Amino acid sequence: MKFVSPNCKNCRARENSLFSFCQVRETEQLNAVKTANLYKKGQYIFYENAAPIGLFCINTGAVKLCKLSSNGKEQITRIARPGDLLGYRSLIAKTTYTYSAVAIEDTAICLIPKPEFFALIRNNSQFYEGLMQLLCKEADEMEAKIGDIAYKPVRGRIAEALMLLAGAAKESGYITLTREDLASLVGTVKETAIRIISEFREENLLEVDKRRIRILRPEKLMQISNLYD
Amino acid sequence: MKFVSPNCKNCRARENSLFSFCQVRETEQLNAVKTANLYKKGQYIFYENAAPIGLFCINTGAVKLCKLSSNGKEQITRIARPGDLLGYRSLIAKTTYTYSAVAIEDTAICLIPKPEFFALIRNNSQFYEGLMQLLCKEADEMEAKIGDIAYKPVRGRIAEALMLLAGAAKESGYITLTREDLASLVGTVKETAIRIISEFREENLLEVDKRRIRILRPEKLMQISNLYD
DNA sequence: CGGCTGATTGAGCTATGTCAAGGGCAGTGG
DNA sequence: CCACTGCCCTTGACATAGCTCAATCAGCCG
């Protein structure tokens, strides 16, 4: 299989990432030290509890971030996409990874080794600040998610997740997540997720082609997502 | 009511806070610019969605951080105590507060105005780094909480929360949280929380005196907290 | 002695999880 | 090109944790 290592200079993923703060020279340096890798669907990029080795930047594809709970179930905390950075929290806090990262499509990812990452935050204060803001945003989102899971019924959470996924799903507008992954993303089980999707289909809020889902009535779903008991 | 504004120099709360990174001179400056305030139990320190005005540092007492969900229920995300800093996320991300802060005991809090906060992170890189690590830690905790709420049964979550609260409850070892607040902290309702506490009492895992709870068998509770289905 | 706030307890009800049994599509190997 | 195998997806039947509503009780304060 032919895989051309992406060049940071003209990397589209870089543009909507924190690396947009980098100067041309820095970008060239990054390009020189980074290593690129292709992960097949289902392959692990890194494991929960492992020691971090660097900063990952997703080039193409999609990755699920998940933790294993003691009852053996997998909880997906987020779906990461091109331009998203992975692993910085563990690097900064000097801890092990708090979640695993698994490719859910064939995915290309670049890795910036630890030393270069730290050099970057030392030398580029804009990048540093950006990272800090990213952390805050991430925290805000998680905080919101806690509220959701605690009080929003599954139906609403699924509606919400579908909206988010559709927004993130580039051109196509198709959501290709597995029902199981979708369930795990909103904190429920496969069967419940399926039933609710079926309801939405019957109400013509979305259509299902093979496994893929396409939203038809975003407004309606949005409304359901905000509707409580 | 007599309230002596605390002095940063010999503030016990400061010692287990990020401000421990400050030099003597910085501490003196902080002391000069800060304003101290006493909040009665039940009083709001700041409101969700309001614009941040500075960094809060809890001196004595306890504060609940909570969000209102559309169905009118309050979700408590965390209980903050002396030494804890509040509001930095909104300052850094330049957003409004994502939660409200309410005193659950009579509480003394100092406020460092926005400009001085930014001056601090500009000039003290240790403080800056510490703040970053704090953010990471906070994010980790929330991530864990998401997993908990999604998959851990209420019984386990209550056990866990009790352990945490007991740990944080200074000397006394008494947990004084309202049943309602406890419920909201673990994402359930008052009645369910009460029933589970009663069970624990019957099993002699804790004792209840008036409203106050004291843990008797931490090991057991710990075990329950990790026990799934 | 009221009146209040919070704690309890009981009795249903229901959303959601669990278990079980197919069904369809896609990729593989003969 | 067909049959086989292995995912997923789907649906039904059933069980139950946890929510709601409602009534009562226990401190506490003026």
Side-chain angles (χ1 to χ4, degrees), chain B residues 28 48 81 85 95 99 105 108 130 138 197 200 226-227:
Chain B
E28 281 167 4
E48 192 175 350
R81 300 186 170 278
L85 305 182
T95 59
Y99 52 82
E105 305 172 4
E138 214 182 323
I197 291 172
F200 288 163
N226 292 319
L227 194 68

Short mmCIF file of all heavy atoms in Angstrom, two decimals, chain B residues 28 48 81 85 95 99 105 108 130 138 197 200 226-227:
data_model
loop_
_atom_site.label_atom_id
_atom_site.label_comp_id
_atom_site.label_asym_id
_atom_site.label_seq_id
_atom_site.Cartn_x
_atom_site.Cartn_y
_atom_site.Cartn_z
N GLU B 28 2.81 39.93 48.19
CA GLU B 28 2.45 41.23 48.75
C GLU B 28 1.61 42.04 47.78
O GLU B 28 0.63 42.68 48.14
CB GLU B 28 3.71 42.02 49.12
CG GLU B 28 4.31 41.55 50.45
CD GLU B 28 5.71 42.10 50.66
OE1 GLU B 28 6.18 42.90 49.81
OE2 GLU B 28 6.33 41.72 51.67
N GLU B 48 -23.70 31.55 36.33
CA GLU B 48 -23.51 30.94 35.01
C GLU B 48 -23.84 32.00 33.95
O GLU B 48 -24.80 32.76 34.11
CB GLU B 48 -24.51 29.76 34.91
CG GLU B 48 -24.29 28.84 33.77
CD GLU B 48 -25.25 27.64 33.83
OE1 GLU B 48 -25.92 27.45 34.86
OE2 GLU B 48 -25.32 26.90 32.84
N ARG B 81 -13.22 24.04 47.80
CA ARG B 81 -12.87 24.30 49.20
C ARG B 81 -11.68 25.24 49.31
O ARG B 81 -11.09 25.62 48.30
CB ARG B 81 -12.54 22.97 49.88
CG ARG B 81 -13.70 22.03 49.84
CD ARG B 81 -13.46 20.77 50.61
NE ARG B 81 -14.74 20.05 50.70
CZ ARG B 81 -15.68 20.32 51.58
NH1 ARG B 81 -15.51 21.26 52.47
NH2 ARG B 81 -16.82 19.63 51.59
N LEU B 85 -9.19 27.53 43.32
CA LEU B 85 -9.36 28.73 42.51
C LEU B 85 -10.58 28.57 41.61
O LEU B 85 -10.83 27.49 41.08
CB LEU B 85 -8.12 28.95 41.65
CG LEU B 85 -6.81 29.01 42.43
CD1 LEU B 85 -5.64 29.27 41.48
CD2 LEU B 85 -6.88 30.10 43.48
N THR B 95 -14.47 33.57 27.86
CA THR B 95 -15.88 33.25 27.71
C THR B 95 -16.60 33.67 28.98
O THR B 95 -15.99 34.20 29.90
CB THR B 95 -16.08 31.73 27.56
OG1 THR B 95 -15.55 31.10 28.72
CG2 THR B 95 -15.36 31.22 26.34
N TYR B 99 -20.61 27.90 34.73
CA TYR B 99 -21.35 27.38 35.87
C TYR B 99 -21.53 28.49 36.91
O TYR B 99 -20.85 29.51 36.84
CB TYR B 99 -20.63 26.20 36.51
CG TYR B 99 -19.18 26.47 36.83
CD1 TYR B 99 -18.83 27.14 38.00
CD2 TYR B 99 -18.16 26.09 35.97
CE1 TYR B 99 -17.52 27.41 38.30
CE2 TYR B 99 -16.83 26.36 36.26
CZ TYR B 99 -16.51 27.01 37.42
OH TYR B 99 -15.20 27.29 37.71
N GLU B 105 -21.69 26.93 52.72
CA GLU B 105 -21.47 27.28 54.12
C GLU B 105 -21.13 28.77 54.09
O GLU B 105 -20.91 29.31 53.01
CB GLU B 105 -20.25 26.56 54.72
CG GLU B 105 -20.27 25.07 54.61
CD GLU B 105 -18.93 24.48 55.06
OE1 GLU B 105 -18.05 25.24 55.52
OE2 GLU B 105 -18.77 23.26 54.93
N ALA B 108 -15.54 32.68 53.01
CA ALA B 108 -14.77 33.88 52.71
C ALA B 108 -13.97 33.64 51.44
O ALA B 108 -13.33 32.60 51.28
CB ALA B 108 -13.83 34.20 53.87
N GLY B 130 1.64 25.86 36.37
CA GLY B 130 0.80 25.24 37.39
C GLY B 130 -0.66 25.30 36.99
O GLY B 130 -1.41 24.33 37.14
N GLU B 138 -8.16 18.91 36.08
CA GLU B 138 -9.59 19.14 36.08
C GLU B 138 -10.25 18.37 34.93
O GLU B 138 -11.27 17.70 35.10
CB GLU B 138 -9.85 20.63 35.91
CG GLU B 138 -11.03 21.17 36.64
CD GLU B 138 -11.21 22.66 36.35
OE1 GLU B 138 -10.20 23.39 36.24
OE2 GLU B 138 -12.37 23.08 36.24
N ILE B 197 -28.26 6.07 51.19
CA ILE B 197 -27.57 6.38 52.44
C ILE B 197 -28.15 5.54 53.57
O ILE B 197 -27.42 5.01 54.41
CB ILE B 197 -27.72 7.88 52.77
CG1 ILE B 197 -26.91 8.69 51.77
CG2 ILE B 197 -27.24 8.16 54.18
CD1 ILE B 197 -27.13 10.18 51.89
N PHE B 200 -26.73 2.14 53.45
CA PHE B 200 -25.37 2.14 53.97
C PHE B 200 -25.40 2.19 55.50
O PHE B 200 -24.60 1.55 56.17
CB PHE B 200 -24.58 3.34 53.43
CG PHE B 200 -24.20 3.21 51.98
CD1 PHE B 200 -23.81 4.32 51.25
CD2 PHE B 200 -24.24 1.97 51.33
CE1 PHE B 200 -23.45 4.20 49.92
CE2 PHE B 200 -23.88 1.85 50.00
CZ PHE B 200 -23.48 2.97 49.29
N ASN B 226 -16.40 0.66 43.34
CA ASN B 226 -15.77 0.05 42.17
C ASN B 226 -16.52 -1.16 41.65
O ASN B 226 -16.14 -1.77 40.66
CB ASN B 226 -14.33 -0.34 42.50
CG ASN B 226 -13.47 0.87 42.72
OD1 ASN B 226 -13.59 1.85 41.99
ND2 ASN B 226 -12.64 0.82 43.74
N LEU B 227 -17.57 -1.47 42.34
CA LEU B 227 -18.34 -2.64 41.97
C LEU B 227 -19.39 -2.26 40.94
O LEU B 227 -20.17 -1.35 41.16
CB LEU B 227 -19.04 -3.16 43.22
CG LEU B 227 -19.63 -4.55 43.12
CD1 LEU B 227 -18.53 -5.57 43.02
CD2 LEU B 227 -20.50 -4.82 44.32
#
